Amino acid sequence: MISLFDRFEAAFMPNYGVPPVALARGEGSVVRGIDGTEYLDMFGGIAVSSLGHAHPALVEAVSKQVATLAHTSNLLLHEREVELAEKLLSLLGAPGRVFLANSGTEANEAALKLAIKYGKSTGRSYFVAAEMGFHGRTLGALSLTGKPSIRDQFGPFPLDVRFVPYGDADALAAAAVDGGCAAVFLEPTQGEAGVVPPPDGYMARAREITRAAGALLVADEIQSAIGRTGHWFAHQADGYLPDVLTLAKGLGGGLPIGACVGFGPAATVFEKGDHGSTFGGNPVSCAAALAVLGNVDLAHVRAVGAELRDGIEAISHPLLKGVRGRGLWLAAVLTEDRAAQVQAAAQRAGFLVNAVQPDAIRLAPPLVITSAQVRSFLTAFPSILDEAADG
Ligand SMILES: Cc1ncc(COP(=O)(O)O)c(C=O)c1O
Protein backbone atom coordinates (compact mmCIF):
# COMPACT_ATOMS: atom_id res chain seq x y z
CA MET A 1 0.00 0.00 0.00
CA ILE A 2 1.25 3.49 -0.77
CA SER A 3 2.00 5.33 2.47
CA LEU A 4 0.80 8.82 3.35
CA PHE A 5 4.45 9.89 3.14
CA ASP A 6 4.73 8.61 -0.46
CA ARG A 7 1.48 10.35 -1.36
CA PHE A 8 2.79 13.57 0.20
CA GLU A 9 5.98 13.30 -1.80
CA ALA A 10 4.12 12.69 -5.05
CA ALA A 11 1.56 15.48 -4.55
CA PHE A 12 3.59 18.34 -3.05
CA MET A 13 6.36 20.55 -4.36
CA PRO A 14 9.65 19.41 -2.82
CA ASN A 15 10.26 22.63 -0.82
CA TYR A 16 9.67 20.96 2.57
CA GLY A 17 11.09 17.54 1.79
CA VAL A 18 9.00 14.80 3.39
CA PRO A 19 8.45 15.42 7.11
CA PRO A 20 9.40 12.53 9.42
CA VAL A 21 6.08 12.21 11.30
CA ALA A 22 2.43 12.39 10.19
CA LEU A 23 0.19 13.63 12.99
CA ALA A 24 -3.41 12.60 13.46
CA ARG A 25 -4.46 14.44 16.64
CA GLY A 26 -3.33 16.13 19.79
CA GLU A 27 -4.44 16.96 23.28
CA GLY A 28 -2.64 19.43 25.52
CA SER A 29 1.08 19.00 24.84
CA VAL A 30 0.76 15.44 23.58
CA VAL A 31 0.29 14.61 19.91
CA ARG A 32 -0.42 11.28 18.29
CA GLY A 33 0.89 10.07 14.93
CA ILE A 34 -1.28 8.33 12.34
CA ASP A 35 0.27 5.04 13.49
CA GLY A 36 -0.89 5.68 17.06
CA THR A 37 2.58 6.65 18.43
CA GLU A 38 2.39 9.35 21.10
CA TYR A 39 4.87 12.18 21.34
CA LEU A 40 5.41 15.04 23.75
CA ASP A 41 5.31 18.15 21.57
CA MET A 42 8.43 20.08 22.57
CA PHE A 43 8.33 22.66 19.76
CA GLY A 44 4.66 23.59 19.44
CA GLY A 45 4.48 23.70 15.65
CA ILE A 46 7.34 26.26 15.65
CA ALA A 47 6.22 28.29 18.66
CA VAL A 48 2.59 28.42 17.49
CA SER A 49 0.43 26.08 19.60
CA SER A 50 0.39 28.35 22.65
CA LEU A 51 -2.56 26.61 24.28
CA GLY A 52 -1.45 23.18 23.14
CA HIS A 53 -3.74 20.99 21.10
CA ALA A 54 -7.54 20.88 21.33
CA HIS A 55 -7.64 23.33 24.25
CA PRO A 56 -11.33 23.52 25.27
CA ALA A 57 -11.37 27.36 25.21
CA LEU A 58 -9.91 27.44 21.70
CA VAL A 59 -12.24 24.71 20.46
CA GLU A 60 -15.25 26.49 21.89
CA ALA A 61 -14.31 29.94 20.61
CA VAL A 62 -13.53 28.72 17.09
CA SER A 63 -16.54 26.39 16.87
CA LYS A 64 -18.93 29.07 18.07
CA GLN A 65 -17.48 31.66 15.70
CA VAL A 66 -17.46 29.46 12.60
CA ALA A 67 -21.07 28.52 13.32
CA THR A 68 -22.01 32.20 13.62
CA LEU A 69 -19.96 34.23 11.15
CA ALA A 70 -16.87 32.90 9.38
CA HIS A 71 -15.95 35.80 7.12
CA THR A 72 -16.75 39.42 6.42
CA SER A 73 -13.87 40.76 4.23
CA ASN A 74 -12.46 44.15 5.10
CA LEU A 75 -15.44 45.91 3.49
CA LEU A 76 -17.48 45.10 6.59
CA LEU A 77 -16.42 44.94 10.21
CA HIS A 78 -17.21 42.52 13.02
CA GLU A 79 -17.03 42.48 16.78
CA ARG A 80 -14.19 39.97 17.26
CA GLU A 81 -11.62 42.02 15.33
CA VAL A 82 -12.39 45.13 17.36
CA GLU A 83 -12.17 43.15 20.61
CA LEU A 84 -8.87 41.67 19.51
CA ALA A 85 -7.29 44.99 18.52
CA GLU A 86 -8.44 46.52 21.81
CA LYS A 87 -7.12 43.56 23.79
CA LEU A 88 -3.72 43.71 22.09
CA LEU A 89 -3.44 47.44 22.74
CA SER A 90 -4.41 47.00 26.38
CA LEU A 91 -1.76 44.26 26.84
CA LEU A 92 0.76 46.50 25.12
CA GLY A 93 -0.15 49.35 27.45
CA ALA A 94 0.63 52.03 24.86
CA PRO A 95 -1.59 53.91 22.46
CA GLY A 96 -1.31 52.43 18.98
CA ARG A 97 -3.23 51.13 15.98
CA VAL A 98 -3.47 47.60 14.66
CA PHE A 99 -3.52 46.02 11.19
CA LEU A 100 -4.51 42.34 11.03
CA ALA A 101 -2.95 39.93 8.55
CA ASN A 102 -2.84 36.15 8.18
CA SER A 103 0.77 35.23 8.87
CA GLY A 104 4.10 36.49 10.08
CA THR A 105 5.49 37.34 6.70
CA GLU A 106 2.38 39.37 5.89
CA ALA A 107 2.63 41.24 9.19
CA ASN A 108 6.17 42.19 8.17
CA GLU A 109 5.02 43.17 4.66
CA ALA A 110 2.61 45.60 6.30
CA ALA A 111 5.43 46.97 8.49
CA LEU A 112 7.66 47.30 5.44
CA LYS A 113 5.09 49.14 3.35
CA LEU A 114 4.43 51.41 6.30
CA ALA A 115 8.18 52.06 6.62
CA ILE A 116 8.56 52.71 2.89
CA LYS A 117 5.78 55.27 3.04
CA TYR A 118 7.27 56.86 6.16
CA GLY A 119 10.66 56.93 4.42
CA LYS A 120 9.28 58.62 1.31
CA SER A 121 7.64 61.34 3.38
CA THR A 122 10.88 62.01 5.29
CA GLY A 123 13.50 61.48 2.57
CA ARG A 124 14.73 58.13 3.88
CA SER A 125 15.26 55.24 1.55
CA TYR A 126 17.23 52.35 2.98
CA PHE A 127 16.63 49.70 5.61
CA VAL A 128 18.82 47.97 8.14
CA ALA A 129 18.37 44.40 9.33
CA ALA A 130 20.52 41.81 11.08
CA GLU A 131 22.70 39.11 9.64
CA MET A 132 21.14 35.68 10.20
CA GLY A 133 17.78 37.33 11.01
CA PHE A 134 14.55 35.85 9.71
CA HIS A 135 11.49 37.90 8.77
CA GLY A 136 9.60 35.68 6.33
CA ARG A 137 9.53 34.26 2.83
CA THR A 138 7.52 36.77 0.77
CA LEU A 139 9.76 39.01 -1.28
CA GLY A 140 9.65 42.08 0.97
CA ALA A 141 10.20 40.10 4.17
CA LEU A 142 12.79 37.94 2.40
CA SER A 143 14.74 41.01 1.38
CA LEU A 144 15.09 41.80 5.12
CA THR A 145 16.06 38.24 5.95
CA GLY A 146 19.74 37.90 6.65
CA LYS A 147 20.21 34.20 6.09
CA PRO A 148 22.05 33.96 2.75
CA SER A 149 20.98 30.35 2.13
CA ILE A 150 17.30 31.24 1.86
CA ARG A 151 17.69 34.77 0.52
CA ASP A 152 20.41 34.95 -2.09
CA GLN A 153 18.96 32.82 -4.88
CA PHE A 154 15.83 35.03 -5.06
CA GLY A 155 17.65 38.35 -5.31
CA PRO A 156 18.27 40.98 -6.40
CA PHE A 157 15.56 42.70 -4.39
CA PRO A 158 14.15 46.13 -5.14
CA LEU A 159 14.91 47.41 -1.62
CA ASP A 160 18.21 48.72 -0.32
CA VAL A 161 18.73 46.61 2.82
CA ARG A 162 22.00 46.84 4.77
CA PHE A 163 22.88 44.00 7.10
CA VAL A 164 24.71 44.39 10.39
CA PRO A 165 25.97 41.74 12.82
CA TYR A 166 23.22 40.97 15.33
CA GLY A 167 23.93 42.21 18.84
CA ASP A 168 26.55 44.77 17.79
CA ALA A 169 25.07 48.15 18.76
CA ASP A 170 28.03 50.12 17.38
CA ALA A 171 27.63 48.49 13.97
CA LEU A 172 23.94 49.34 14.09
CA ALA A 173 24.69 52.95 14.99
CA ALA A 174 27.17 53.18 12.11
CA ALA A 175 24.64 51.76 9.62
CA ALA A 176 21.57 53.69 10.73
CA VAL A 177 23.00 57.02 11.71
CA ASP A 178 23.26 58.98 8.49
CA GLY A 179 19.64 60.13 8.27
CA GLY A 180 18.84 58.08 5.16
CA CYS A 181 17.62 55.02 7.05
CA ALA A 182 13.83 54.56 6.98
CA ALA A 183 13.63 51.64 9.40
CA VAL A 184 15.58 49.03 11.32
CA PHE A 185 14.03 45.57 11.54
CA LEU A 186 15.19 43.41 14.45
CA GLU A 187 14.08 40.32 16.35
CA PRO A 188 14.43 40.69 20.15
CA THR A 189 16.09 37.24 20.07
CA GLN A 190 16.83 35.58 16.74
CA GLY A 191 14.53 32.56 16.54
CA GLU A 192 15.41 30.79 13.30
CA ALA A 193 19.11 31.52 13.84
CA GLY A 194 18.83 29.19 16.84
CA VAL A 195 17.15 31.18 19.65
CA VAL A 196 20.10 33.57 19.90
CA PRO A 197 19.61 36.41 22.40
CA PRO A 198 21.56 39.65 21.91
CA PRO A 199 23.79 41.06 24.66
CA ASP A 200 21.81 42.68 27.48
CA GLY A 201 20.60 46.16 26.62
CA TYR A 202 21.03 45.74 22.84
CA MET A 203 17.40 46.32 21.92
CA ALA A 204 17.15 49.36 24.21
CA ARG A 205 20.30 50.73 22.51
CA ALA A 206 18.70 50.02 19.14
CA ARG A 207 15.73 52.09 20.33
CA GLU A 208 18.01 55.03 21.22
CA ILE A 209 19.97 54.77 17.97
CA THR A 210 16.88 54.68 15.76
CA ARG A 211 15.23 57.51 17.66
CA ALA A 212 18.32 59.67 17.29
CA ALA A 213 18.57 58.82 13.57
CA GLY A 214 14.86 59.40 12.90
CA ALA A 215 14.47 55.83 11.66
CA LEU A 216 11.59 53.57 12.70
CA LEU A 217 12.40 50.62 14.93
CA VAL A 218 10.39 47.58 13.87
CA ALA A 219 10.47 44.80 16.47
CA ASP A 220 9.66 41.49 14.82
CA GLU A 221 8.05 39.64 17.73
CA ILE A 222 6.44 37.03 15.52
CA GLN A 223 8.19 34.25 17.41
CA SER A 224 8.90 35.95 20.75
CA ALA A 225 5.50 37.35 21.74
CA ILE A 226 2.25 36.06 23.27
CA GLY A 227 3.85 34.85 26.46
CA ARG A 228 6.61 32.79 24.88
CA THR A 229 9.35 34.50 26.95
CA GLY A 230 7.22 34.67 30.12
CA HIS A 231 6.09 38.20 29.17
CA TRP A 232 3.30 39.09 26.80
CA PHE A 233 5.86 40.71 24.53
CA ALA A 234 9.64 40.39 24.79
CA HIS A 235 10.16 44.16 24.46
CA GLN A 236 8.23 44.72 27.69
CA ALA A 237 10.94 42.87 29.62
CA ASP A 238 13.66 44.70 27.72
CA GLY A 239 12.30 48.14 28.66
CA TYR A 240 11.64 49.86 25.33
CA LEU A 241 8.75 50.47 22.97
CA PRO A 242 9.32 50.01 19.22
CA ASP A 243 7.60 52.18 16.61
CA VAL A 244 6.18 49.11 14.93
CA LEU A 245 5.60 45.63 16.32
CA THR A 246 4.82 42.54 14.28
CA LEU A 247 3.07 39.45 15.65
CA ALA A 248 1.80 36.09 14.38
CA LYS A 249 2.59 32.45 15.34
CA GLY A 250 1.37 32.01 18.95
CA LEU A 251 -1.30 34.70 18.59
CA GLY A 252 -3.80 32.38 16.90
CA GLY A 253 -2.80 29.25 18.83
CA GLY A 254 -2.84 27.34 15.51
CA LEU A 255 -5.29 29.45 13.53
CA PRO A 256 -3.59 31.71 10.98
CA ILE A 257 -3.34 35.33 12.06
CA GLY A 258 -0.73 38.07 12.06
CA ALA A 259 -0.70 41.64 13.30
CA CYS A 260 1.24 44.80 12.67
CA VAL A 261 0.92 47.40 15.43
CA GLY A 262 2.08 50.99 14.99
CA PHE A 263 2.77 53.35 17.89
CA GLY A 264 3.08 57.14 17.88
CA PRO A 265 3.36 58.62 14.38
CA ALA A 266 3.75 55.10 12.93
CA ALA A 267 0.17 54.34 13.98
CA THR A 268 -1.27 56.58 11.30
CA VAL A 269 1.17 56.32 8.39
CA PHE A 270 -1.29 54.19 6.43
CA GLU A 271 -4.20 56.13 5.03
CA LYS A 272 -7.39 54.73 3.56
CA GLY A 273 -6.60 52.43 0.65
CA ASP A 274 -2.88 52.03 1.42
CA HIS A 275 -3.01 48.39 2.47
CA GLY A 276 -5.44 45.52 2.88
CA SER A 277 -6.14 41.81 3.06
CA THR A 278 -9.25 39.81 2.21
CA PHE A 279 -8.79 37.36 5.08
CA GLY A 280 -6.85 39.54 7.52
CA GLY A 281 -8.89 39.95 10.70
CA ASN A 282 -11.01 36.95 9.84
CA PRO A 283 -13.61 36.37 12.62
CA VAL A 284 -12.58 32.76 13.29
CA SER A 285 -8.89 33.62 13.63
CA CYS A 286 -9.75 36.62 15.82
CA ALA A 287 -11.92 34.42 18.06
CA ALA A 288 -9.00 32.00 18.37
CA ALA A 289 -6.60 34.83 19.26
CA LEU A 290 -8.99 36.13 21.92
CA ALA A 291 -9.15 32.63 23.42
CA VAL A 292 -5.34 32.47 23.44
CA LEU A 293 -4.96 35.89 25.07
CA GLY A 294 -7.56 34.95 27.68
CA ASN A 295 -5.82 31.72 28.66
CA VAL A 296 -2.04 32.15 28.58
CA ASP A 297 -0.66 31.98 32.13
CA LEU A 298 2.59 33.98 32.24
CA ALA A 299 3.51 32.80 35.75
CA HIS A 300 3.22 29.19 34.56
CA VAL A 301 5.41 29.91 31.51
CA ARG A 302 8.09 31.42 33.75
CA ALA A 303 7.97 28.56 36.24
CA VAL A 304 8.09 25.66 33.79
CA GLY A 305 10.46 27.60 31.50
CA ALA A 306 12.91 27.99 34.39
CA GLU A 307 12.52 24.33 35.26
CA LEU A 308 13.31 23.30 31.69
CA ARG A 309 16.26 25.68 31.40
CA ASP A 310 17.74 24.78 34.79
CA GLY A 311 17.23 21.09 34.09
CA ILE A 312 19.13 21.26 30.79
CA GLU A 313 21.85 23.35 32.41
CA ALA A 314 22.29 20.68 35.08
CA ILE A 315 22.92 17.94 32.52
CA SER A 316 26.57 17.17 32.01
CA HIS A 317 27.11 15.47 28.66
CA PRO A 318 29.94 15.70 26.12
CA LEU A 319 27.45 16.58 23.34
CA LEU A 320 25.76 19.35 25.33
CA LYS A 321 27.40 22.77 25.44
CA GLY A 322 24.64 24.69 27.20
CA VAL A 323 21.25 26.31 26.92
CA ARG A 324 20.13 29.77 25.81
CA GLY A 325 16.83 31.65 25.66
CA ARG A 326 14.13 32.50 28.17
CA GLY A 327 10.66 31.39 29.16
CA LEU A 328 9.50 28.45 27.05
CA TRP A 329 11.71 29.48 24.15
CA LEU A 330 15.06 27.78 24.53
CA ALA A 331 17.84 26.19 22.51
CA ALA A 332 19.93 23.32 23.76
CA VAL A 333 23.31 24.07 22.19
CA LEU A 334 25.49 21.16 21.12
CA THR A 335 29.26 20.80 21.03
CA GLU A 336 29.03 19.26 17.54
CA ASP A 337 26.77 19.57 14.51
CA ARG A 338 24.54 16.67 15.53
CA ALA A 339 21.17 18.39 15.94
CA ALA A 340 19.58 16.23 13.22
CA GLN A 341 20.69 13.10 15.11
CA VAL A 342 19.33 14.53 18.38
CA GLN A 343 16.00 15.32 16.72
CA ALA A 344 15.76 11.77 15.33
CA ALA A 345 16.77 10.16 18.65
CA ALA A 346 14.24 12.34 20.50
CA GLN A 347 11.53 11.24 18.09
CA ARG A 348 12.36 7.59 18.72
CA ALA A 349 12.11 8.31 22.45
CA GLY A 350 8.68 9.97 22.04
CA PHE A 351 9.63 13.66 21.98
CA LEU A 352 9.27 16.10 19.07
CA VAL A 353 12.06 18.68 19.08
CA ASN A 354 13.39 20.89 16.31
CA ALA A 355 16.93 20.89 14.92
CA VAL A 356 16.79 24.61 14.21
CA GLN A 357 20.53 24.83 13.45
CA PRO A 358 23.12 22.10 12.88
CA ASP A 359 24.27 22.58 16.49
CA ALA A 360 21.07 23.76 18.19
CA ILE A 361 17.83 22.09 19.29
CA ARG A 362 14.90 24.48 19.61
CA LEU A 363 12.45 23.87 22.44
CA ALA A 364 9.26 25.94 22.16
CA PRO A 365 6.58 23.69 23.62
CA PRO A 366 2.96 24.64 24.19
CA LEU A 367 2.76 27.23 26.97
CA VAL A 368 0.48 24.80 28.84
CA ILE A 369 3.15 22.11 29.12
CA THR A 370 3.11 20.72 32.66
CA SER A 371 5.97 20.45 35.09
CA ALA A 372 5.65 16.64 34.99
CA GLN A 373 5.98 16.70 31.18
CA VAL A 374 9.04 18.94 31.40
CA ARG A 375 10.57 16.51 33.89
CA SER A 376 9.84 13.55 31.61
CA PHE A 377 11.80 15.28 28.84
CA LEU A 378 14.67 16.13 31.18
CA THR A 379 14.85 12.54 32.37
CA ALA A 380 15.00 11.24 28.79
CA PHE A 381 17.35 13.90 27.37
CA PRO A 382 20.71 12.40 28.48
CA SER A 383 19.98 9.07 26.79
CA ILE A 384 18.72 10.93 23.70
CA LEU A 385 22.09 12.72 23.62
CA ASP A 386 23.91 9.39 24.10
CA GLU A 387 22.09 7.89 21.14
CA ALA A 388 22.72 10.98 18.99
CA ALA A 389 26.41 10.95 19.90
CA ASP A 390 26.74 7.28 18.90
CA GLY A 391 24.46 7.31 15.87
C1 LIG B 1 10.84 36.27 13.63
C2 LIG B 1 9.99 35.75 12.50
N1 LIG B 1 9.48 36.61 11.61
C3 LIG B 1 8.70 36.20 10.60
C4 LIG B 1 8.41 34.87 10.42
C5 LIG B 1 7.53 34.43 9.28
O1 LIG B 1 6.29 34.00 9.76
P1 LIG B 1 5.33 33.10 8.83
O2 LIG B 1 6.01 31.79 8.65
O3 LIG B 1 4.04 33.03 9.61
O4 LIG B 1 5.17 33.83 7.54
C6 LIG B 1 8.93 33.93 11.32
C7 LIG B 1 8.68 32.50 11.14
O5 LIG B 1 9.39 31.65 11.61
C8 LIG B 1 9.74 34.39 12.39
O6 LIG B 1 10.27 33.53 13.29
Side-chain angles (χ1 to χ4, degrees), residues 46 103-106 108 134-136 187 192 220 222-223 248-249:
I46 322 184
S103 65
T105 202
E106 285 174 78
N108 280 335
F134 185 81
H135 299 289
E187 297 162 81
E192 296 308 299
D220 178 342
I222 283 160
Q223 197 160 148
K249 287 197 180 280

Side-chain angles (χ1 to χ4, degrees), residues 256-323:
I257 187 164
C260 172
V261 187
F263 302 100
T268 49
V269 169
F270 279 151
E271 293 165 287
K272 191 172 177 190
D274 280 349
H275 196 47
S277 163
T278 300
F279 292 121
N282 168 274
V284 181
S285 294
C286 289
L290 284 163
V292 167
L293 296 177
N295 285 279
V296 167
D297 178 348
L298 297 179
H300 177 77
V301 175
R302 285 180 205 167
V304 288
E307 195 174 2
L308 182 56
R309 196 191 152 106
D310 294 348
I312 295 171
E313 222 153 39
I315 295 170
S316 165
H317 192 283
L319 191 53
L320 185 63
K321 192 165 166 187
V323 59

Side-chain angles (χ1 to χ4, degrees), residues 140-326:
L142 188 60
S143 69
L144 296 161
T145 288
K147 240 175 141 176
S149 59
I150 58 173
R151 176 195 140 85
D152 284 358
Q153 61 171 321
F154 297 104
F157 300 96
L159 292 176
D160 179 0
V161 182
R162 305 180 186 177
F163 290 96
V164 291
Y166 185 66
D168 182 341
D170 294 337
L172 181 63
V177 85
D178 77 358
C181 176
V184 173
F185 282 71
L186 289 173
E187 297 162 81
T189 280
Q190 289 190 319
E192 296 308 299
V195 193
V196 180
D200 282 351
Y202 173 69
M203 290 302 291
R205 275 284 314 278
R207 171 68 290 183
E208 285 163 18
I209 290 163
T210 46
R211 187 175 286 125
L216 297 178
L217 176 63
V218 182
D220 178 342
E221 289 227 34
I222 283 160
Q223 197 160 148
S224 60
I226 321 300
R228 181 67 36 207
T229 64
H231 304 269
W232 281 115
F233 308 94
H235 71 261
Q236 292 177 324
D238 294 339
Y240 71 97
L241 184 69
D243 298 295
V244 180
L245 173 72
T246 54
L247 307 168
K249 287 197 180 280
L251 178 59
L255 274 282
I257 187 164
C260 172
V261 187
F263 302 100
T268 49
V269 169
F270 279 151
E271 293 165 287
K272 191 172 177 190
D274 280 349
H275 196 47
S277 163
T278 300
F279 292 121
N282 168 274
V284 181
S285 294
C286 289
L290 284 163
V292 167
L293 296 177
N295 285 279
V296 167
D297 178 348
L298 297 179
H300 177 77
V301 175
R302 285 180 205 167
V304 288
E307 195 174 2
L308 182 56
R309 196 191 152 106
D310 294 348
I312 295 171
E313 222 153 39
I315 295 170
S316 165
H317 192 283
L319 191 53
L320 185 63
K321 192 165 166 187
V323 59
R324 61 188 176 221
R326 49 188 163 159

Side-chain angles (χ1 to χ4, degrees), residues 23 25-27 29-33 37-41 53 352:
L23 292 182
R25 57 185 305 125
E27 194 180 355
S29 300
V30 176
V31 287
R32 189 177 306 163
T37 311
E38 280 197 355
Y39 304 93
L40 184 61
D41 178 2
H53 303 272
L352 298 181

